Amino acid sequence: MKTVDMKFYTSLLMLVVLIGIAANIPLSVAAQAKPNILFVLVDNLGYGELGCYGGGITRGAATPRIDQLASEGMRFTNMNSEPQCTPSRSAIMTGRFAIRSGTYAVPFGGVADGLTQWEVTIAESLSASGYKTAYFGKWHLGSNNGRLPNDQGFDEWYGIPRTTDEAMWPSDPNFSTSYMPVEKIMEGRKGEQSKALQTYDLDQRRIIDAEITNRSIAAMEKNVKANHPFFVFAALTQCHIPALPNPAFAGKTGNGDWADMLTEMDYNVGRMLDAIDRLNIRKETIVIFLSDNGPEYVQPWDGWAGPWKGQYFTAWEGGIRVPFMIRWPGNIPSNKVTDEIVHNVDLFPTLAGITGAVVPNDRPIDGINMKAFFLGQTTKSGRDGFPIWVGDRLQAVKWKHFKAHFYHQETMISEPEKWALPHLFDLYTNPREDETKLLFSSWLIGPMMKMIGAFEASTKRYPLIPMGTPDPYTPPKSGNSQ
């Protein structure tokens, strides 16, 4: 009897000890498997705009909060994107080059725009993994019910379905709704149809980023209170044309609308970061700050790509190389700067790798899981290059610090001109891609064509989805073969 009692009390004592240990595990350790994610995507912010990338006060406005975020985590000098708004957002959401998804260019009406429901988004994957998901801001991946954020994995959303220049339409004396419907600010919830709230005009353009920030903070507060891991995607509309500041920031810098807008952007990011600290979830939250593509071309709101040539809608480095930083205290190294190549298609598989979410295996995924690189377990990224499309035109390819252009296109409104031979550039010695300083190392075409060949081979097994493809989309049988 005493033996039985001793075993019982021994087992009971072990249970008490284990409970005591579990009770004292810090929340940051317990939450490692499913960290919160705040993803801040800004619109058309050039490489050279922020202080930590050589801008800030040289652009008329310091950016202390974003610069501090960069110092608290990892800052990338070689993050690459698709060169237009819709393609880059598609790549982020799916981990696939936009040419695969029929989202390779900004849509201009008359077609079924956006992602087909067959595509699997990062929000769908994280939602299936137990995350609460929210999207606030500019979407640009579908204008109608069936293709809005609440149809693509987000529990809730608020924002504009398309883009910001449409805010100028109502004030144009030649505009009439008999020609084109005005863009509406919308909101919706998963399982329901989204509803229009009000017209997106110039007055709303000035204040929408404040509302995006407010709603992003409220979503974080709600989910922390409910003890849910969250994925909050704050897609700010600045600095897209027209880059008009909130009235509270108009005239604040004395350096014009653009500098006032940059100050506003920094303030809004700071508010979201302050909310994370107030909620005491800094160590449990991954914060990402990213621009969707290179800077504006249209004056007087044109931006600056720093040392690089070009703007969005081009394959120049200025069109594709963008600001990117990521913070996760205790996991991602702080005050780290890297020039390793990363592409925005890599974010889906990387975040899935960190959180345990699932990446689809029935289609090509162009992104690479960079978890080990982001966490400082290796100093090398898993990528050494990628092809570059402008629209549906394969315009260039980048490999290590070399680049080949197959077309010349100076700006977004220039006619592309196909070269008889690829033009080769060394980005270390010729960062401006000056055509008077071409390389004549033809061996470089070998590894570049190998990447292109691998992509083209994949399209034979998994055909590209044409732009304007309606739902429901079913891949051809060749796309389903394993």
Side-chain angles (χ1 to χ4, degrees), residues 85-141:
C85 296
T86 292
S88 63
R89 291 157 197 269
S90 175
I92 292 166
M93 284 292 154
T94 66
R96 288 155 48 86
F97 293 133
I99 191 72
R100 294 194 189 275
S101 306
T103 49
Y104 52 77
V106 171
F108 286 102
V111 297
D113 62 318
L115 291 169
T116 65
Q117 293 180 0
W118 175 83
E119 294 286 349
V120 175
T121 69
I122 185 173
E124 289 173 306
S125 181
L126 289 171
S127 182
S129 185
Y131 278 77
K132 295 298 182 181
T133 57
Y135 191 101
F136 306 112
K138 171 181 167 177
W139 177 238
H140 221 180
L141 290 174

Side-chain angles (χ1 to χ4, degrees), residues 163-290:
T163 189
T164 294
D165 55 274
E166 293 184 31
M168 297 189 287
W169 293 2
S171 58
D172 187 329
N174 296 309
F175 173 75
S176 169
T177 54
S178 63
Y179 305 137
M180 289 285 287
V182 294
E183 184 168 25
K184 298 288 187 176
I185 298 174
M186 304 181 74
E187 68 177 358
R189 295 186 176 276
K190 186 181 290 185
E192 302 174 4
Q193 289 205 337
S194 294
K195 61 181 180 181
L197 300 178
Q198 58 204 107
T199 297
Y200 188 47
D201 57 17
L202 290 178
D203 289 337
Q204 291 299 316
R205 191 274 169 278
R206 288 183 179 272
I207 63 176
I208 192 170
D209 276 16
E211 183 63 15
I212 292 166
T213 303
N214 290 340
R215 292 192 181 225
S216 298
I217 292 170
M220 291 191 287
E221 292 172 340
K222 175 178 66 177
N223 286 305
V224 169
K225 184 177 181 180
N227 200 29
H228 289 309
F230 62 74
F231 175 53
V232 171
F233 201 111
L236 298 176
T237 65
Q238 301 287 19
C239 346
H240 196 286
I241 60 169
L244 301 173
N246 186 292
F249 289 86
K252 194 173 185 69
T253 67
N255 295 321
D257 281 349
W258 209 98
D260 293 342
M261 175 278 302
L262 193 58
T263 297
E264 177 197 352
M265 177 190 293
D266 191 69
Y267 174 77
N268 285 330
V269 172
R271 286 187 60 211
M272 288 185 268
L273 296 176
D274 287 343
I276 288 172
D277 287 344
R278 175 168 46 81
L279 293 167
N280 197 29
I281 55 171
R282 176 187 276 245
K283 291 183 178 180
E284 295 79 49
T285 305
I286 297 171
V287 178
I288 289 171
F289 180 94
L290 174 69

Side-chain angles (χ1 to χ4, degrees), residues 5 11 23 40 48 53 58 69 104 114 189 196 213 242 249 272 304 389 443 448 475-476:
D5 288 344
S11 298
V40 181
Y53 284 91
T58 68
L69 174 65
Y104 52 77
R189 295 186 176 276
T213 303
F249 289 86
M272 288 185 268
W304 187 46
W389 287 270
W443 68 268
M448 293 177 176

Side-chain angles (χ1 to χ4, degrees), residues 352-374:
I354 290 172
T355 61
V358 175
V359 177
N361 62 7
D362 63 342
R363 65 201 68 195
I365 299 295
D366 300 296
I368 295 170
N369 182 351
M370 299 281 188
K371 176 182 175 181
F373 175 49
F374 282 17

Side-chain angles (χ1 to χ4, degrees), residues 287-307:
V287 178
I288 289 171
F289 180 94
L290 174 69
S291 179
D292 62 346
N293 44 243
E296 280 289 351
Y297 169 75
V298 180
Q299 296 182 1
W301 302 292
D302 51 320
W304 187 46

Side-chain angles (χ1 to χ4, degrees), residues 14 157 253 285 302 331 407 427:
M14 290 180 66
W157 91 284
T253 67
T285 305
D302 51 320
N331 296 279
Y407 290 81
L427 297 173

